[in-house]
Amino acid sequence: MVTLDVRPQLIDALSALRDRVAAARFPLPLAGAPRARANRDELLAQLDDYLVPRLKDPEAPLLAVVGGSTGAGKSTLVNSLVGRRVSEAGVLRPTTRTPVLVCHPEDHHWFSGMRVLPDLTRVWVPQQEPGDDMLLPGEDPARVLRVETTESLPRGLALLDAPDIDSLVADNRVLAAELICAADIWIMVTTAARYADAVPWHLLRTAKEYDVTLVTVLDRVPHQVVSEVSRQYGALLTKAGLGHVPRFTVPELPESAWGGGLLPATAVAPLRTWLVHQAQDSAARHQVMARTAYGVLDSLKSRMPELASAAAAQYAAATRLTAAVEAAYDSEHARVRSRLQSGAVLAGDALKRWRAFPLDCTAGELLDALSESLTTLLVCAVTAADDRVDESWRREPAAAAPTLRDRDPTAESVEHRIGLAVRRWRRELEECAEDEVRELDKGATLDPEAVAALVATALLGGRRARAAGERLAGRLGAHGALRLRDRGGRLLTEHLDRAVHAERERRLAPLDALDVHPEPQAELIAALSVLQKER
Amino acid sequence: MTAATDQDHEPGATEPAEGEDGVPEASGAGAEEEAAQTEEGREEDDGVWDDGLIARRMNDTAEEQQPVSAVESRASVPQTPTTLAFDGPLRSRLDALRELVGLSRTRLDSRTLAEAGRVLDEAAARRRLSGQHTVVAIAGATGSGKSQLFNALAGLTISETGVRRPTTSAPIACSWSDGAAPLIDRLGIPPRLRRRPAQHADPDGQLRGLVLVDLPDHDSAAVQHREQVDRVLALVDAVVWVVDPEKYADAVLHERYLRPMAGHAEIMFVVLNQVDRLPGEAAEQVLDDLRRLLDEDGIALGEYGEPGATVLALSALTGDGVGELRESLGQFVAERGAAARRISADVDAAGWELRPVYASSGRTGLSEAAREEFADRLADAVGATAAGEAAERAWLRNANRACGTPWLRLWRWYQDRLEPPTGRLPLRAQADEEATARQRVEQAVRTVAERACAGLPAPWAQAVREAAVRGSQGLPEALDELAARAGLPPGRPPRPGWWPAAVLVQASMTLLQVVGGLWLVAQIVGVMSPNLGVPVLLMVAGIVGGPLVEWGCRMAARGPARRYGMDAERRLREAAAGCGRARVLDPVAAELLRYREVREQYGKVMGVGA
């Protein structure tokens, strides 16, 4: 027999693992991401709602959650087990929107606190007007848990009536899944008309996967066909490998007709007896608890690596995206440099100005034309890089994340930013030229702006501007000209690198903001292995 | 929980299968036959399941059981020549859709167009077949009583009913009149599963022309059932959705079937079966709730004479309300409009699906301002403005030099000799390679492409961008060549008519100075009689007049200089703009025109452009 033997180290390891799971994020919309997010939420809910509280307080009452499709008669079943109407039953679907927990008054303290299901608000309205709570607008009915107490349940057992697992209301589906995960005993209710539905079978398979303590109830079976339907259902269960699961059959009786009243005690007696036995017989109780707890612990072995691999996929995708950006900007950067060297800036307007300089064109005009041309070159490079990034990102599903796709429309344009950088470079170049001219003895006769224009032409014009270099040497002397050109060249490289780098960082910023790291994968696996060791 | 999350993903997963379903019917039929045979084999092993839906009702149906009439044999069927005729609007919409698909093939990927293509194929296929018949499928969840309703309408037990879930595993067809065989062939239902209704079931021929198809369930764990349902639902003319009080709010039904088919409300019946299981006024409550859910799904309800889905409550078991359904079905079939309405709804759905690739936001097209801007940018790229200004200044400079005083010219000449000549004639002579600024051309093309595809749906914007980029290849080289050709004509720039006169006046001023000077010198030497007044006057006139004339000429030369510069600028600008128009703007405009054409077709498909 399995017993629940809990050491504090195990709980510590489990808490650490819980924190790791809580920290895992899957922000990139990869194919597996929605599933990973759902798995993470589900695992987190199961750890918070069930596993940790159960291991901390093994003596807490057993929680049996009644789950099933809409219209399966879950509420009627709970009401009949308790012996009074605690949960609203009715003909309109979905009926139960607020989950109801029923327990013995002395067990009330176990559930009134936030020990289990910590993110559900508790309400203690003993009797509500029928149909009242489900229609109240404004309040979010999905995040509320109603706690009822009744003497007719034995101590050490609590029943929870969950919403439909296939509800039309998506929130209800999520809540139902969360509640079922919090159970020590899963009571799966299906009906004669439903036992072959796909949805409940998903749930049964999940139950099998986690190896939890499972009971199935075949509800609303017309008594003439009880044996046939029950046999069919049993065959299906056996085929699915669930033949050993306790199976109870509840007939459809006129008095149960659509929420009218309670089923007679005899109809649910076998189920009730079984549940009471599990709650009161300490050996059985232990076994039930241990089986579900260990089942969930064992399921971690496959669920954690799944999460870890999803985290790894996220990181790999983020790396690919970053690499695409870097490759695009690097290649454009190289292209800009080679274009600069070949003198592409000194073309068009700038070239015409240079041809006319100094007779028909002032130094200021030449500098204007040159910086405008340089700005255009850089803007083109940045835009081309952005286009390349867009194109390679289009092939990546991860790039569809909203923060990556929608760029900030309020941000100033790339023209503006590059223009600013180029103007700054021009100012610094002019200052350099002034310094150089001032150092010269005959500086008084030289126009620093003309010198700046010559340096700029010599730097940006490539071979085409050889004359500019010669003229500069003529004015400043070979040594001075060389020094000025060196300084200007350094300034140019510096500003160019800085501008391209800044643009690249801008492009990467939203991706960085998503905070995708390689660590979660390793941490998840490490937490799991620590937990394995502590068992 | 896995159950819940799986549930969310499933609709997406089934979609591709749906898209392909329409075509392979012949192969599908064979496979089904096999499946049906194995199903039957298993039945015999399992024992008898010849009772009613739920066993407590099994006794009631007993008297209805009659020997099933002979399978409809194809040989005996006279092929009805009357094929389906569509009305004008629908025909033109289908034509427009075909046109649209044809026009878009090269721009959109085949996956986007697959659904539209399927609708066209199905419409064509349906059109070739009988217009006298209406194919109605009975669909619903397992255990809702589809087969029982089918049997109730047919008047005999054709479709097996039972408590074993799921019961029906292959579609069964029942035709109320002859000539429906090709229609049933299209559904891929083998002859073995074709039936005729009982003679007494339809004495007054109310349901004449009806072909009823009983479908398997769509929600059981047997996945192949769902596939069959999806396949047949895409082909039938109308659907009767059977729901029951237990399952009417199932997420599967609403999310996977009713919501996507909301546009097909007019060919939809929603039937709440098993009302006999509900006590008293509960039936009415449930029916209201069902109406509410349908409304939330976006399905128009056919109340108060408006077109929409018909919602009924009935009990196939007791027969309550079956007559009503029979009546409305009969009316529906007699109208013979279901097939056309279904296809029309299909076209609507396909059109809505295609909306993101056709509908534009705001005004599209290339504005005059954008064209202007493009020309300006190209002019910048070849340096038109700078060239114009340089030409203007050079002309002015030459004019000044020509009309300046000779002394000034002498001094300038001396200055020039000191400095090495740069920036002027010797450099201008050499031909530049890559005189056009590549980056400016690139920017111009990109900007104009951005402007042109503003508001266009993504595939068309991409096409416009590609057209622009393709056109811009070789554009800089062309502009290089053009700039060399379209520059100022070689040789001396033109001179205004007054220029020789000005030069003459300037020369005479100099002459006056020289004459006055010589006269004075002669007086000093004593060759001539001393007369101070006239020579000094002459000299002063020459000295003052020279600069005056120079100044006057400079003022006068401004106008021609500007004209000359403007001329130089205009030549380059126009040449560049012409080149850009031919290479970039025209292909872009052609692409935009193509889009507009497609947009118009799309409007016709959606029934607004007509």
Side-chain angles (χ1 to χ4, degrees):
Chain A
M1 190 183 99
V2 252
T3 52
L4 201 58
D5 169 32
V6 183
R7 289 175 299 134
Q9 289 94 322
L10 178 62
I11 292 181
D12 286 346
L14 205 57
S15 305
L17 180 127
R18 186 230 166 254
D19 291 342
R20 294 282 170 255
V21 173
R25 293 273 176 277
F26 308 95
L28 296 175
L30 294 174
R35 200 188 165 82
R37 273 193 288 268
N39 282 346
R40 184 196 77 104
D41 292 348
E42 185 189 309
L43 180 55
L44 200 59
Q46 204 166 7
L47 289 173
D48 281 348
D49 297 344
Y50 173 67
L51 200 53
V52 174
R54 173 50 73 203
L55 294 183
K56 277 186 184 156
D57 303 306
E59 71 281 8
L62 288 179
L63 181 61
V65 175
V66 182
S69 308
T70 167
K74 298 179 292 298
S75 300
T76 310
L77 188 69
V78 169
N79 290 344
S80 309
L81 283 171
V82 172
R84 72 176 171 89
R85 288 181 61 180
V86 285
S87 183
E88 208 53 51
V91 290
L92 302 186
R93 329 244 142 264
T95 322
T96 306
R97 296 186 181 207
T98 310
V100 182
L101 192 146
V102 198
C103 61
H104 192 268
E106 285 177 40
D107 286 338
H108 188 254
H109 67 278
W110 288 112
F111 298 103
S112 59
M114 292 292 142
R115 189 186 69 93
V116 290
L117 301 169
D119 50 352
L120 293 183
T121 322
R122 308 291 199 267
V123 288
W124 292 272
V125 186
Q127 278 294 320
Q128 298 225 341
E129 291 302 309
D132 199 19
D133 58 336
M134 43 184 141
L135 298 175
L136 263 182
E139 194 181 327
D140 179 12
R143 307 310 298 175
V144 168
L145 176 69
R146 196 145 60 84
V147 183
E148 293 268 354
T149 54
T150 174
E151 298 278 350
S152 58
L153 268 186
R155 291 197 56 182
L157 177 69
L159 283 175
L160 206 163
D161 181 19
D164 314 323
I165 52 167
D166 58 349
S167 171
L168 256 180
V169 187
D171 284 349
N172 270 7
R173 291 201 291 255
V174 175
L175 179 63
E178 198 183 320
L179 291 175
I180 290 170
C181 282
D184 290 297
I185 303 173
W186 297 25
I187 304 178
M188 295 290 111
V189 185
T190 187
T191 68
R194 277 202 183 271
Y195 67 82
D197 281 12
V199 178
W201 279 100
H202 283 307
L203 203 54
L204 285 177
R205 270 184 221 115
T206 312
K208 180 166 184 277
E209 188 191 321
Y210 295 169
D211 195 26
V212 297
T213 307
L214 176 70
V215 191
T216 67
V217 178
L218 189 55
D219 199 5
R220 307 184 57 179
V221 188
H223 58 80
Q224 296 92 330
V225 290
V226 164
S227 59
E228 291 292 356
V229 172
S230 166
R231 194 164 61 82
Q232 281 287 333
Y233 186 47
L236 285 179
L237 281 175
T238 312
K239 213 167 118 194
L242 290 164
H244 59 277
V245 169
R247 211 165 69 235
F248 299 93
T249 306
V250 178
E252 179 171 37
L253 298 170
E255 47 270 51
S256 78
W258 304 100
L262 308 177
L263 296 170
T266 50
V268 293
L271 175 60
R272 190 184 153 82
T273 317
W274 187 87
L275 285 173
V276 169
H277 173 74
Q278 306 301 325
Q280 290 182 335
D281 181 82
S282 80
R285 178 188 149 83
H286 250 320
Q287 195 180 358
V288 162
M289 239 157 42
R291 176 166 181 178
T292 308
Y294 281 133
V296 174
L297 273 179
D298 283 339
S299 78
L300 290 178
K301 256 185 259 171
S302 62
R303 292 158 88 186
M304 294 295 284
E306 210 176 302
L307 280 185
S309 73
Q314 292 276 324
Y315 178 63
T319 316
R320 274 202 305 279
L321 293 182
T322 314
V325 173
E326 277 169 2
Y329 273 89
D330 284 350
S331 78
E332 284 302 322
H333 194 178
R335 191 169 76 105
V336 165
R337 268 191 302 231
S338 81
R339 304 270 292 145
L340 269 181
Q341 233 144 41
S342 70
V345 175
L346 194 64
D349 244 18
L351 183 64
K352 294 281 193 292
R353 296 275 184 213
W354 165 238
R355 293 277 178 256
F357 181 78
L359 282 178
D360 298 328
C361 164
T362 64
E365 280 173 333
L366 178 59
L367 272 175
D368 281 348
L370 280 172
S371 21
E372 210 173 306
S373 192
L374 180 62
T375 308
T376 317
L377 181 70
L378 290 181
V379 168
C380 273
V382 169
T383 325
D386 265 350
D387 283 352
R388 284 173 64 158
V389 170
D390 282 344
E391 200 188 321
S392 50
W393 278 18
R394 210 170 295 140
R395 290 190 295 269
E396 294 280 348
T403 52
L404 297 184
R405 212 178 31 203
D406 311 327
R407 294 207 218 129
D408 190 2
T410 58
E412 64 233 320
S413 67
V414 57
E415 281 88 357
H416 179 84
R417 293 191 304 266
I418 297 283
L420 213 63
V422 169
R423 277 202 296 283
R424 202 173 298 135
W425 167 74
R426 178 181 163 176
R427 203 164 51 240
E428 285 184 27
L429 187 72
E430 280 172 350
E431 278 164 17
C432 282
E434 262 171 50
D435 286 351
E436 205 61 45
V437 168
R438 208 176 302 131
E439 276 176 30
L440 231 59
D441 296 337
K442 52 170 183 173
T445 61
L446 274 176
D447 177 16
E449 200 172 24
V451 172
L454 282 176
V455 176
T457 314
L459 288 173
L460 298 172
R463 276 189 305 130
R464 200 179 287 176
R466 204 179 296 148
E470 287 162 11
R471 247 196 270 175
L472 193 65
R475 297 202 181 176
L476 293 179
H479 193 62
L482 197 64
R483 200 169 49 209
L484 188 55
R485 278 184 72 157
D486 274 356
R487 273 179 78 182
R490 268 202 308 281
L491 271 181
L492 180 62
T493 323
E494 197 179 293
H495 277 90
L496 179 73
D497 290 353
R498 205 187 297 157
V500 174
H501 187 74
E503 289 301 319
R504 190 174 71 181
E505 290 307 307
R506 271 188 82 80
R507 188 69 212 242
L508 284 174
L511 189 60
D512 291 341
L514 289 181
D515 219 18
V516 183
H517 295 302
E519 288 86 25
Q521 181 199 11
E523 285 172 355
L524 286 171
I525 296 294
L528 178 64
S529 62
V530 169
L531 183 74
Q532 297 288 352
K533 216 161 41 186
E534 293 301 339
R535 278 191 60 184
Chain B
M1 174 112 309
T2 328
T5 48
D6 275 356
Q7 183 53 40
D8 290 335
H9 305 318
E10 266 165 15
T14 54
E15 268 166 19
E18 232 171 30
E20 293 162 8
D21 273 341
V23 203
E25 274 156 29
S27 60
E32 263 156 46
E33 210 155 49
E34 270 177 34
Q37 272 161 6
T38 53
E39 202 68 21
E40 273 177 4
R42 207 178 312 142
E43 248 162 58
E44 279 158 21
D45 297 343
D46 284 348
V48 250
W49 286 96
D50 51 355
D51 49 5
L53 166 71
I54 300 285
R56 75 179 154 97
R57 292 155 195 157
M58 59 186 287
N59 343 342
D60 306 348
T61 50
E63 78 259 15
E64 276 185 14
Q65 300 207 356
Q66 290 194 353
V68 169
S69 62
V71 171
E72 183 180 10
S73 67
R74 248 184 277 183
S76 70
V77 177
Q79 288 292 325
T80 335
T82 30
T83 54
L84 184 63
F86 294 151
D87 58 344
L90 178 59
R91 234 189 350 254
S92 68
R93 286 181 69 193
L94 281 170
D95 288 344
L97 184 61
R98 194 170 301 117
E99 187 87 343
L100 183 69
V101 170
L103 281 173
S104 317
R105 280 246 183 270
T106 51
R107 296 284 178 273
L108 304 178
D109 62 352
S110 51
R111 233 176 342 172
T112 319
L113 292 173
E115 175 61 18
R118 193 195 65 80
V119 168
L120 282 174
D121 290 348
E122 293 309 338
R126 181 68 187 85
R127 195 175 179 177
R128 279 195 295 274
L129 301 175
S130 166
Q132 309 293 318
H133 293 85
T134 305
V135 185
V136 180
I138 298 187
T142 170
S144 287
K146 295 178 296 297
S147 298
Q148 205 175 30
L149 179 65
F150 183 78
N151 291 347
L153 285 170
L156 39 84
T157 307
I158 293 173
S159 194
E160 160 210 8
T161 57
V163 289
R164 193 188 59 158
R165 302 273 151 260
T167 321
T168 309
S169 62
I172 298 176
C174 176
S175 170
W176 264 257
S177 56
D178 294 337
L183 274 175
I184 304 175
D185 286 345
R186 183 164 165 250
L187 301 182
I189 298 173
R192 204 168 37 76
L193 295 173
R194 298 177 190 183
R195 306 282 189 273
R196 298 303 299 265
Q199 295 300 320
H200 69 86
D202 188 28
D204 47 356
Q206 200 179 19
L207 295 179
R208 215 181 145 66
L210 175 69
V211 178
L212 206 58
V213 180
D214 184 22
L215 289 179
D217 63 88
H218 60 71
D219 65 342
S220 77
V223 183
Q224 66 276 16
H225 287 189
R226 203 168 68 214
E227 287 163 7
Q228 290 200 25
V229 170
D230 291 347
R231 183 179 62 78
V232 174
L233 277 184
L235 301 174
V236 296
D237 297 332
V239 191
V240 177
W241 287 105
V242 180
V243 297
D244 64 84
E246 195 181 322
K247 288 187 163 187
Y248 76 90
D250 273 17
V252 182
L253 172 70
H254 290 273
E255 287 179 2
R256 193 186 295 141
Y257 291 98
L258 293 182
R259 270 176 215 169
M261 285 185 78
H264 292 72
E266 283 184 48
I267 53 145
M268 229 187 246
F269 291 78
V270 183
V271 171
L272 179 68
N273 194 11
Q274 303 179 9
V275 279
D276 55 308
R277 290 173 80 185
L278 289 171
E281 77 279 20
E284 207 46 50
Q285 268 180 21
V286 172
L287 198 61
D288 281 345
D289 199 43
L290 175 62
R291 284 210 180 92
R292 178 184 64 82
L293 288 177
L294 291 176
D295 194 49
E296 279 173 13
D297 290 337
I299 295 174
L301 299 182
E303 289 162 335
Y304 317 114
E306 286 168 24
T310 311
V311 183
L312 294 171
L314 57 79
S315 165
L317 179 76
T318 60
D320 273 355
V322 175
E324 213 177 313
L325 173 66
R326 185 189 294 274
E327 200 174 298
S328 44
L329 260 182
Q331 206 182 336
F332 184 75
V333 170
E335 282 173 21
R336 291 192 183 147
R341 261 181 270 166
R342 198 249 141 83
I343 288 166
S344 178
D346 276 350
V347 171
D348 275 343
W352 275 107
E353 203 181 300
L354 288 176
R355 194 179 158 74
V357 299
Y358 289 121
S360 52
S361 52
R363 222 175 68 82
T364 60
L366 207 49
S367 65
E368 207 46 51
R371 287 165 178 273
E372 287 290 318
E373 195 190 341
F374 181 61
D376 283 349
R377 282 178 191 270
L378 281 188
D380 272 352
V382 294
T385 320
E389 271 177 30
E392 179 184 337
R393 289 175 194 174
W395 199 90
L396 202 58
R397 191 159 41 81
N398 285 334
N400 289 344
R401 190 185 292 157
C403 304
T405 56
W407 317 117
L408 209 59
R409 285 171 85 170
L410 203 67
W411 186 71
R412 280 206 185 125
W413 174 78
Y414 174 72
Q415 284 270 309
D416 280 358
R417 276 197 46 186
L418 286 184
E419 264 191 29
T422 47
R424 270 186 301 152
L425 296 171
L427 278 170
R428 185 171 289 230
Q430 100 188 20
D432 290 310
E433 77 245 35
E434 302 204 356
T436 308
R438 265 55 180 162
Q439 62 271 23
R440 295 224 180 212
V441 176
E442 198 181 321
Q443 196 185 25
V445 171
R446 209 190 46 239
T447 318
V448 82
E450 284 308 317
R451 295 279 149 81
C453 57
L456 289 192
W460 304 95
Q462 184 65 24
V464 165
R465 228 171 275 139
E466 274 167 16
V469 168
R470 220 177 306 121
S472 74
Q473 276 162 8
L475 181 61
E477 287 76 16
L479 288 175
D480 280 350
E481 204 178 304
L482 192 134
R485 265 191 291 116
L488 286 172
R492 300 171 68 84
R495 296 171 166 204
W498 50 263
W499 193 318
V503 173
L504 204 68
V505 172
Q506 186 66 269
S508 59
M509 289 300 160
T510 314
L511 204 67
L512 277 180
Q513 289 175 36
V514 173
V515 168
L518 282 180
W519 198 335
L520 277 182
V521 169
Q523 283 178 20
I524 292 163
V525 174
V527 180
M528 293 188 73
S529 60
N531 179 358
L532 221 56
V534 181
V536 166
L537 215 63
L538 278 181
M539 243 181 109
V540 167
I543 288 170
V544 174
L548 261 179
V549 170
E550 189 181 340
W551 182 80
C553 285
R554 182 177 296 180
M555 289 299 117
R558 269 192 188 172
R562 168 149 315 144
R563 270 199 296 282
Y564 179 66
M566 296 271 266
D567 187 44
E569 184 182 339
R570 207 195 58 238
R571 278 161 178 275
L572 267 180
R573 180 181 289 271
E574 277 175 4
C579 193
R581 198 177 316 120
R583 279 172 179 266
V584 177
L585 288 186
D586 287 351
V588 164
E591 203 58 51
L592 284 173
L593 201 67
R594 196 189 169 99
Y595 168 70
R596 218 159 294 145
E597 219 173 293
V598 166
R599 180 78 183 75
E600 206 172 293
Q601 290 295 339
Y602 180 70
K604 275 190 206 157
V605 170
M606 297 309 279
V608 290

